[in-house]
Amino acid sequence: MLLVLSDLSSKDQIPKHLNPEVIFLLGDFKPRRIVHLIDFHFKCPKFGVTGNHDKDDLYLDTNIINISRELHSWNGKSIGGISGVPRYNSKPYGQFDESEVASYLGNLPPNLDYFLAHTNPLIDEQTDNAHRGSESLSEYIHMKKPKHLFHGHLHEPKEYVIGDTLVHSVYLANQY
C-alpha cells in the first residue's frame, strides 16, 4: 500500500494506524515538525518533494529522500519528482521557472512508474496565478507518459486521466 501525504497542518492528520510499504510526501507541511513525526512513526521507505510554502531543507535530518530533480527506484519501480510550483511572486523558495523545469523533465526517461510533484498540471486560465499549474508538467505527461503522477497544492483530492497517465490530486492523506 502507498501512503501519499500533502498539505498537512496538524499532527492529527497523520494516519498512524496504517502500515504502508512506501510513503510519498508532496510538500507544504506546516509546521515542519510534522515531517519529523512522519519519519519517526513510519519505518518504510519515504520519498518527498517540497511545496511552495516549504524551504529546501524540509527533509534535512530525516530518512526521507528528497527526490526533486532526481531519479530513484523502489521495489523495482522508477520514481522521479519536482518540487515547488511555477513562479507567481518574488518569494525566494518554493517556486521554479518553467524553462528550467522543462529542461529537467525533457531529460527523464519515458514511462516512469511514479512522478511526484507539488504543483498540478496546467489547468484553465481562470484559475488564480498561484494554482494555475505547470505547462511544462502537462507537456511532460503528454510526451513521456508516466504511469502515475501524484500532486498536491490544490487541496482537492481526486483522480483523473491525462493521456496514458493516471493523475492523483492529493490532499492530506490518501492510500493507493
Side-chain angles (χ1 to χ4, degrees), residues 113-132:
D113 293 298
Y114 303 111
F115 192 85
L116 312 182
H118 183 70
T119 192
N120 48 288
L122 187 67
I123 49 181
D124 69 65
E125 296 173 11
Q126 295 180 10
T127 303
D128 69 272
N129 202 29
H131 296 93
R132 71 184 183 277

Side-chain angles (χ1 to χ4, degrees), residues 52 85-97 129-130:
N52 57 308
V85 299
R87 187 160 306 287
Y88 66 94
N89 66 25
S90 60
K91 190 170 65 171
Y93 58 87
Q95 301 176 70
F96 57 76
D97 294 320
N129 202 29

Side-chain angles (χ1 to χ4, degrees), residues 158-169:
K158 66 179 182 177
E159 291 184 346
Y160 54 102
V161 176
I162 298 176
D164 296 331
T165 301
L166 180 55
V167 179
H168 310 268
S169 178

